[in-house]
Structure formats: C-alpha cells, structure tokens
Amino acid sequence: MLSASDLAGRLAQNAEAVCRHYLSAGRRAGNYWLVGDVGNNKGRSLYVHLIGPRAGRWTDAATGQFGDLLDLVRETCGLVDFRDVAEEARHFLSLPQPEPVSDLRGDVGDASPVERPATERARRLFRMTQPLAGTLADIYLRERGILRASTHAALRFHPSCYYRDLVTGRTSSYPALVAAVTDDAGAITGVHRSWLDPDGVGKAKLVDPRRALGGLLGNGVRFRIPVNASAPVLAAGEGLETMLSLSHVMPGMPMVAALTANHLAAFNVPPECRRLYIAADADAAGRHGIEGLSRRAQECGILPLVLSPELGDFNEDLRWLGPDQMTASLRLQLTPEDAVTFLPR
C-alpha cells in the first residue's frame, strides 16, 4: 500500500491535471495554478506550484492555509477520514484499491469533488458533530472564562476529527471544536476547526491546531444574530474566543467572528446595521482588518466604532480582569443607548 507521502508524490507528478479536476474554477498562469480558495471559487489568492521541486505545494494567501496535493484533495472534497482521502487520490490516479471501498463514501455517493459545492462539503462535516454541552470543547471554553458557549447553535463538538500534518504527512485524529460559518441568511458556507488536547489541557499540540474549510469570504461564525430579522447593532471581530468573551458580558448583542483579519475586512455587514462595533486586535494584520471593515462600513452609511481591550485581547480581559472590570471598560466605549441596552446595570 502506498504511504501518504507516496500518494502526494504521485499527485505532484500530475499537478496540473489534479488542479484542472479539483480546482476547475481556476486557471494556469505561468508555472502556477490560480484559484480563489479550496472551495473551488473563482479568484487568485490560492496558488499551486505546477513544476519544479515544489510541484504540488499550494498556499492560500488569504487564509494562510498551505499543504500538498493530498491536503488539497481532502479540503476540496470535505473529507474527514484519511482512508477516504487515500481512496479519492487512488481513484484519481487510477491505482488499485487496497480493499473494497464501496461503503466508504457515506452520503456523498459517487459524485465527483467538482460536482459537490463547498457549502455541502462543509455541511457534511458539521452534520458529523454533536452538541457542545458537557464535551471537551465546552470544558476548553469554560477554562477560558466562556461559560455559556453551549447556548450558541454555531458551536459543536467532533470527538475524533481527522488531522494531517502538512510537513510530515502523518495522519491522526483529535477532538475538535467545530464552528459553523454562515452567510447573512443563516446558510452554512464553511466550518472552522480547533483541535483540542485529548487530555483536556487546551489546544492539541500541533503546529497549526486551527483550520478552516469552505467559503469564509464575506461570512462568519454568528452569535445571537436572528436569521432574516433586523440587527441594527452588531459587533464583529477576528477570533472565536474574542467574540465569545464579548458575548459573555453582552449576551444580547449580535456578534460575528470572521476568523482572520483579511476575512474581517471583507465581512458583509447586514444592510439593516446602523452601528458596527469592531473588536480590536493589536497586531498589524488586526489593524488591517479593522481599517478595511471600517472603510466599507462608512461607504454603506454605517457608523463603525472600535472596541479596545485593556490587555492583549478580550479573552485576556475576561480571564485576568474579570467580567465586572471588562463591563466597566466597555461601558465607556459603547454609545449610551447601547450601554443601557446590552450591558448589565
């Protein structure tokens, strides 16, 4: 049986054919294949090396994702178990199967990856999760001071989520916090995975314990945002823990986590929004996200207001300063009307 690295090498020898099959929305430009993302959307942020010593290696400049063509097969197909990834790669390469595989596809049948939309691949993974309450993911968030995470429908738990090391090619599985990325109509367009240490001591000891799958651009993980209902006040930021920390002290305010600075800058603010609070992140990428979203909000006639933590981020404020001091700090930053509406008296 071919190893993961052997399969990745075979795919790299046929890099352009792989891209034409799995990333059909892209095009060749010189020695690269350009496409929008692993969801096979149009664009140029994801590029694949087609020739040379790095043939088959790819990077998505917008999300920071990277890997080889075996990772690309996994992401474009929305596969979780490595045997499914290996089967898909062998099928593409017309290699003999090591065992009967008629039962490995589950509910996706024999449809090709190109025929399965990114939204359905994300939904497939989300359907494999379970409610958050009482799980390792719930415990992880509680240890970070976030006590009511299980009330958010966007957050779920996967007890054994597939993970592949992008450097060594080794495959394994870890428990994971899984968050649904949705559009403003509430439809799932992607998922975000945070792998956790099975012993319950924080995130899994991995180089990249967080990865996204599916369509993030313009969308986000939403908390307390009613579907098809007016949300004139909204808070937006990058990380899950940041926005969950704010939601802990302002449980009535609609919020969204865009997951990266680039996606925060590109978030589609609901048209009925009149005031947009943007949770600050101190690094350069965070400032880029704030500036980009503020500019787009102003162009739409929406008032952008920046919320700044006292420490490094709002989760640090919640854990080290406590909810009372965090509330007092936010009271000075919200408009008087919103302070009365969303903060405890």
Side-chain angles (χ1 to χ4, degrees), residues 129-157:
T129 61
Q130 63 190 56
L132 192 72
T135 66
L136 192 64
D138 193 15
I139 294 171
Y140 161 75
L141 291 172
R142 285 178 174 274
E143 289 176 345
R144 298 182 71 90
I146 301 165
L147 306 181
R148 294 185 288 270
S150 61
T151 65
H152 298 293
L155 301 179
R156 304 273 292 183
F157 176 67

Side-chain angles (χ1 to χ4, degrees), residues 35-55:
V35 72
D37 53 36
V38 292
N40 196 28
N41 295 302
K42 292 183 178 180
R44 297 170 57 87
S45 66
L46 188 151
Y47 57 94
V48 185
H49 295 264
L50 298 180
I51 63 174
R54 291 186 56 79

Side-chain angles (χ1 to χ4, degrees), residues 135-218:
T135 66
L136 192 64
D138 193 15
I139 294 171
Y140 161 75
L141 291 172
R142 285 178 174 274
E143 289 176 345
R144 298 182 71 90
I146 301 165
L147 306 181
R148 294 185 288 270
S150 61
T151 65
H152 298 293
L155 301 179
R156 304 273 292 183
F157 176 67
H158 195 302
S160 184
C161 191
Y162 166 79
Y163 177 86
R164 180 168 185 268
D165 189 296
L166 299 180
V167 176
T168 66
R170 294 192 183 95
T171 60
S172 54
S173 61
Y174 295 85
L177 169 65
V178 181
V181 177
T182 57
D183 61 20
D184 57 9
I188 293 177
T189 63
V191 291
H192 185 267
R193 296 150 293 175
S194 299
W195 282 276
L196 306 173
D197 191 310
D199 295 327
V201 288
K203 291 190 180 66
K205 296 176 178 62
L206 303 168
V207 175
D208 52 346
R210 302 185 186 195
R211 290 179 188 167
L213 166 68
L216 275 65
L217 193 63

Side-chain angles (χ1 to χ4, degrees), residues 3 60 62-63 70 80 83 151-152 154 167 192 303:
S3 67
D60 188 332
T63 67
L70 204 58
V80 177
R83 68 175 186 170
T151 65
H152 298 293
V167 176
H192 185 267
L303 175 63

Side-chain angles (χ1 to χ4, degrees), residues 2 29 84 103 162 169 175 185 213 227 238 251 265 285 316 323 336:
L2 291 177
D84 288 352
D103 63 337
Y162 166 79
L213 166 68
V227 177
E238 287 185 51
E316 289 188 8

